[in-house]
Amino acid sequence: MTVHPGRFAGRKAVVTGAAQGIGLEVARRLAAESADVVLVDRAATVREAAAGCGAAAVLADLETYEGAETAIAGALEKLDGRIDVLVNNVGGTILAKPYEHYAPDEIEAEIRRSLFTTLWTTRAVLPHLIARRSGTVVNVSSIATRGIHRIPYSAAKGGVNALTASLAMEAAPYGIRIVAAAAGGTDAPPRRVARGPAPRDEREREWYRRIVDQTVDSTLLKRYGTVAEQAAAICFLASDEASYITGTVLPVGGGDQG
C-alpha cells in the first residue's frame, strides 16, 4: 500500500461494509493518511477491525433506513459532529446463477444488499452535508453491470451508477461531490462472514466458474485486482486531488469498462 501521509489530515470519514475486504482496506488507508475514521458494519467483527486501524466502529444494518440513520448518527457522535467523506461500500453478490433460476425473494435480497444500502446511507448523511455545504460521497459500484450469472446484483450496481450521476447534479450547488469506483474482480482475504451460501453442487460451482472466467476474459490485464488497488482508487476519489471530479463512475477493472 502506497500511503500519502497527511492527505486526509483533519478530515472525518465513514466507511460502510468495513469489517473486511475492500471496505476494511479503504478504512486502513484513510486512517494511515491521517483521517479520523468510523467503520460501519452489521457484523460484530467490525469492532475488532476498527481497533486494528485505530478507528471507531458503529454496528448497524444498512439494509433498512432506520439502520442507516443509526449509522450516521453514531458516526457523527464519534466524529465530533462532522462527516467529510462517506464511502458506501456495502454490497456484493449473494448468489451466482443464471437469472431464470433466481426466486423472487432472492432478487429482492440482492437489491436490498447492493442498492438500498447505498440509497439509505446517502439519504441519511445528505442533510448534514448540505447544511455544511461540503463533503464527498464515494459509492463502490461494479463492472458487473456487464456480466453474467448475477443479474440482480448487476441491476443494483447499475442503480448505484445512476444515483451517482443524478445526485451529483443535485448536490453540486452545495459543494458536495458524488462519485463512484466500479470495482472489477478482486482477490481478497477469506471472508470472515460469508455473503451467501457456498455452491452446493457441481452445477452451482460451474455457474460460479463462468463468472470468474468471464470477469478475467473481459479485462485487458487478464487478472483479478487486489484490495489495495481498489482502495487506492476509492481514496483518490475521496481526496482533494479529485476536487474537480463529480458524477463520474471510475472503472477499476483492469481495462474492463463495465
Side-chain angles (χ1 to χ4, degrees):
M1 178 175 68
T2 302
V3 174
H4 302 275
R7 180 162 62 162
F8 291 96
R11 298 300 178 87
K12 315 283 189 178
V14 178
V15 184
T16 72
Q20 56 191 331
I22 293 172
L24 177 55
E25 187 70 12
V26 169
R28 285 172 173 162
R29 184 164 186 148
L30 288 169
E33 296 185 359
S34 304
D36 293 330
V37 186
V38 169
L39 285 66
V40 179
D41 207 291
R42 67 181 179 186
T45 52
V46 71
R47 296 191 180 100
E48 178 185 344
C53 55
V58 171
L59 202 64
D61 183 354
L62 303 180
E63 291 187 11
T64 70
Y65 184 63
E66 292 74 18
E69 283 191 310
T70 295
I72 295 303
L76 284 168
E77 182 178 352
K78 293 176 183 296
L79 294 173
D80 300 321
R82 194 176 96 235
I83 294 172
D84 300 300
V85 174
L86 168 65
V87 178
N88 282 315
N89 175 68
V90 173
T93 307
I94 302 171
L95 298 167
K97 53 187 173 181
Y99 188 47
E100 67 269 23
H101 292 279
Y102 278 88
D105 64 317
E106 293 171 340
I107 294 170
E108 291 182 358
E110 298 278 4
I111 301 299
R112 283 196 306 273
R113 174 76 58 82
S114 292
L115 176 57
F116 271 99
T117 50
T118 295
L119 284 168
W120 292 148
T121 311
T122 301
R123 173 61 183 83
V125 81
L126 196 58
H128 171 73
L129 301 183
I130 289 172
R132 293 190 56 244
R133 303 188 74 83
S134 69
T136 301
V137 176
V138 184
N139 298 320
V140 179
S141 183
S142 174
I143 61 169
T145 48
R146 286 181 65 88
I148 64 169
H149 290 181
R150 42 185 174 167
I151 300 305
Y153 171 73
S154 300
K157 290 303 189 180
V160 169
N161 292 350
L163 166 67
T164 300
S166 298
L167 185 57
M169 299 172 71
E170 288 191 11
Y174 301 102
I176 300 165
R177 295 190 301 115
I178 313 291
V179 289
T186 304
D187 281 323
R191 294 186 63 84
R192 298 179 65 180
V193 178
R195 285 199 182 109
R200 293 170 298 180
D201 53 35
E202 183 54 35
R203 182 179 71 162
E204 292 188 353
R205 285 189 286 273
E206 176 60 22
W207 285 341
Y208 190 81
R209 279 195 294 269
R210 289 181 185 177
I211 289 179
V212 174
D213 291 346
Q214 181 261 304
T215 299
V216 174
D217 288 346
S218 295
T219 70
L220 302 182
L221 299 180
K222 302 305 177 189
R223 67 171 175 86
Y224 267 36
T226 67
V227 290
E229 288 172 322
Q230 299 298 337
I234 292 164
C235 289
F236 162 71
L237 289 172
S239 76
D240 285 345
E241 296 169 10
S243 59
Y244 199 51
I245 300 173
T246 193
T248 296
V249 179
L250 174 67
V252 192
D256 187 345
Q257 301 300 299

